[in-house]
Amino acid sequence: MNEAIQKNGVRAYIMETIMFFTYAFFAVSWIAGTTLTPQIMEHFKLTDFASATFISNAITVAKIIGNLLAAWFLVKLQPKKAIAFASLLIVLGSGLGVFVTEYWMFVVTRFITGFGGALYIVYFAPIVIRYFDPKRRSTINGINAAAYNVGSIIAMVVVTPVFTWLVTWQNSILFFTACSLVLFVLWLIFGEDFELNQTSNDQKTVKAYTFKDGLKDKFNYVFPFTYAGLLLLYIVILTIFPVSDSAAINPKTLSTVVAIAGVVGTIFGIMVTKRFARRLPVLRWSGLAMTVSAVIMVMTTSGALALAMAALVGFFMFLPMTALVTIPQELPDMTPSKLTLIMGFFWSFAYMFETVAYYLVGVLIDVSGFQAGLYCAILLSLSFFIGSFLLPETGGKTEDQKQAIS
């Protein structure tokens, strides 16, 4: 085992815990702002709901730019300060939004919050590869992948009681900002710097992987392409599907089932990744099962079958995620710096694709109705299945298999 990992075992888990809850509370703060949209609109004297969509556009732009710049900040500031900077942006964006007097200023503060979150999600990867050995990475990857979902659950449970307790949306947002501030301070205490261009297995220092190198690397296009279709389908199911008329039963119920089954899929995904060394079969057959289940969910006239298919969509949507994010960590000579850049390209390019495709789905719905738009999103979700034939197989033999062969 890596000597540094042995030496910093407890600290590694403390750092991972701080980062997990920082991102979870970013989700809480973000969802709280969305949940309290009517109160915010009233405060800024907005009469049309379309104006509120500027916030969604702000977060989309923040994600694309922030993901791409994450590696630059990591190299310039070094890990401890870069992660602290991302955390501070989350705190400042949320806190300042309470005190601004114009709606455009509020949109800017949401952009700052989103930018911090976009940086933060990329910084999970270098921490995982630096502080956790290959046996533990699949578990940590799966846990990190669930951070936003955990934040969503926390938000659903506490936002309304907090608003009832503190009366105004400003006080409610400040409450969640205070939670993020505590986590920021904890990171300043426990966070640390580490070598960015050192491989995780043999501690060999390799040549820095530059932005220009990343643009030339085919992997950085195939990897986000694979995920983009799944991301599109997930967002369509959570946003467009609930207001459609294209299901055997209430689409809101089916969307909820998809989300709940996703949690179960994540848990099984961690176990599958630990049990089976090969990554691509998990992606391939999960992706195909997800798409087929989605088609049946929309087409069937049976409520029971629609519910069953919704559960399978959520399950197979999240089952392969741990294996997917483990792939770049297993590439040869992987370093924290290189992995950060790869994950930055991954998130940025995936959201670029999703943003364009989501707009096209909306246009198609306007022209031909909800069902046409849903089928388009389902068809594009096949990128996950197709990508499994284009990505490299990074998994090797498990320890049990090695012993059996020898």
Side-chain angles (χ1 to χ4, degrees):
M1 184 187 290
N2 185 323
E3 184 179 329
I5 292 174
Q6 288 180 315
K7 190 188 301 181
N8 296 294
V10 174
R11 193 186 193 101
Y13 283 107
I14 293 174
M15 291 167 66
E16 161 62 26
T17 301
I18 293 170
M19 290 191 69
F20 176 88
F21 281 105
T22 296
Y23 196 71
F25 271 94
F26 158 72
V28 173
S29 180
W30 191 263
I31 294 169
T34 303
T35 303
L36 299 172
T37 293
Q39 291 82 4
I40 294 170
M41 289 177 64
E42 181 180 350
H43 175 79
F44 289 109
K45 297 179 171 58
L46 299 178
T47 55
D48 59 313
F49 203 84
S51 299
T53 63
F54 285 126
I55 294 177
S56 298
N57 293 336
I59 184 63
T60 299
V61 174
K63 283 177 179 177
I64 292 171
I65 298 175
N67 294 151
L68 281 179
L69 292 179
W72 185 84
F73 280 113
L74 187 73
V75 172
K76 291 295 181 182
L77 299 179
Q78 293 298 294
K80 181 175 181 177
K81 289 181 180 177
I83 295 172
F85 175 64
S87 180
L88 182 61
L89 288 179
I90 294 171
V91 173
L92 287 178
S94 299
L96 290 175
V98 169
F99 301 102
V100 298
T101 56
E102 300 290 337
Y103 182 64
W104 69 266
M105 294 179 184
F106 183 75
V107 173
V108 170
T109 63
R110 296 301 271 175
F111 176 87
I112 293 171
T113 305
F115 192 85
L119 294 177
Y120 216 91
I121 194 171
V122 177
Y123 293 148
F124 278 120
I127 292 294
V128 171
I129 197 173
R130 169 61 180 77
Y131 287 98
F132 298 96
D133 60 71
K135 288 183 179 178
R136 292 187 286 175
R137 283 176 197 160
S138 57
T139 301
I140 302 300
N141 285 333
I143 291 172
N144 288 340
Y148 196 92
N149 283 349
V150 169
S152 300
I153 293 170
I154 293 173
M156 286 189 286
V157 172
V158 305
V159 168
T160 299
V162 167
F163 178 68
T164 302
W165 170 43
L166 298 175
V167 181
T168 68
W169 69 268
Q170 292 97 328
N171 290 339
S172 302
I173 295 294
L174 281 177
F175 175 82
F176 298 121
T177 301
C179 296
S180 294
L181 180 61
V182 170
L183 291 161
F184 167 71
V185 173
L186 288 174
W187 177 261
L188 293 181
I189 296 171
F190 293 102
E192 65 179 15
D193 288 321
F194 50 84
E195 175 57 51
L196 293 172
N197 293 312
Q198 212 170 60
T199 58
S200 59
N201 295 326
D202 53 16
Q203 296 298 287
K204 177 178 67 177
T205 300
V206 298
K207 179 185 174 184
Y209 184 80
T210 66
F211 192 89
K212 190 175 181 180
D213 293 329
L215 288 175
K216 294 178 181 177
D217 192 341
K218 185 183 79 169
F219 180 83
N220 289 329
Y221 299 97
V222 174
F223 191 38
F225 164 78
T226 302
Y227 176 66
L230 182 151
L231 176 64
L232 172 67
L233 181 61
Y234 180 62
I235 292 176
V236 166
I237 286 176
L238 292 185
T239 58
I240 295 177
F241 188 53
V243 297
S244 72
D245 54 0
S246 302
I249 60 173
N250 190 338
K252 290 182 181 179
T253 301
L254 297 179
S255 295
T256 303
V257 170
V258 169
I260 294 172
V263 176
V264 180
T266 299
I267 296 171
F268 274 83
I270 294 172
M271 295 189 290
V272 167
T273 305
K274 290 173 71 72
R275 177 67 182 84
F276 300 102
R278 289 172 62 80
R279 310 304 177 206
L280 298 186
V282 178
L283 270 62
R284 185 167 302 147
W285 303 119
S286 293
L288 186 60
M290 172 191 69
T291 300
V292 171
S293 299
V295 170
I296 299 173
M297 178 182 73
V298 174
M299 288 183 64
T300 184
T301 56
S302 166
L305 183 58
L307 280 170
M309 291 301 105
L312 290 180
V313 170
F315 181 82
F316 286 114
M317 188 176 280
F318 284 86
L319 177 70
M321 289 309 301
T322 300
L324 180 71
V325 298
T326 300
I327 288 175
Q329 297 174 8
E330 295 175 333
L331 291 172
D333 293 332
M334 185 54 63
T335 66
S337 176
K338 181 178 180 180
L339 183 60
T340 302
L341 194 53
I342 286 175
M343 294 309 294
F345 279 120
F346 170 72
W347 288 109
S348 183
F349 288 173
Y351 273 105
M352 285 182 193
F353 176 94
E354 180 275 326
T355 301
V356 174
Y358 190 81
Y359 174 75
L360 293 176
V361 168
V363 171
L364 191 57
I365 289 173
D366 288 336
V367 173
S368 304
F370 277 111
Q371 199 157 55
L374 292 173
Y375 282 134
C376 177
I378 293 169
L379 178 65
L380 291 174
S381 74
L382 282 171
S383 74
F384 206 81
F385 177 71
I386 296 169
S388 70
F389 293 95
L390 303 175
L391 288 169
E393 177 57 81
T394 58
K397 306 288 186 191
T398 63
E399 290 301 316
D400 292 340
Q401 288 171 324
K402 288 177 181 177
Q403 291 175 7
I405 292 174
S406 60

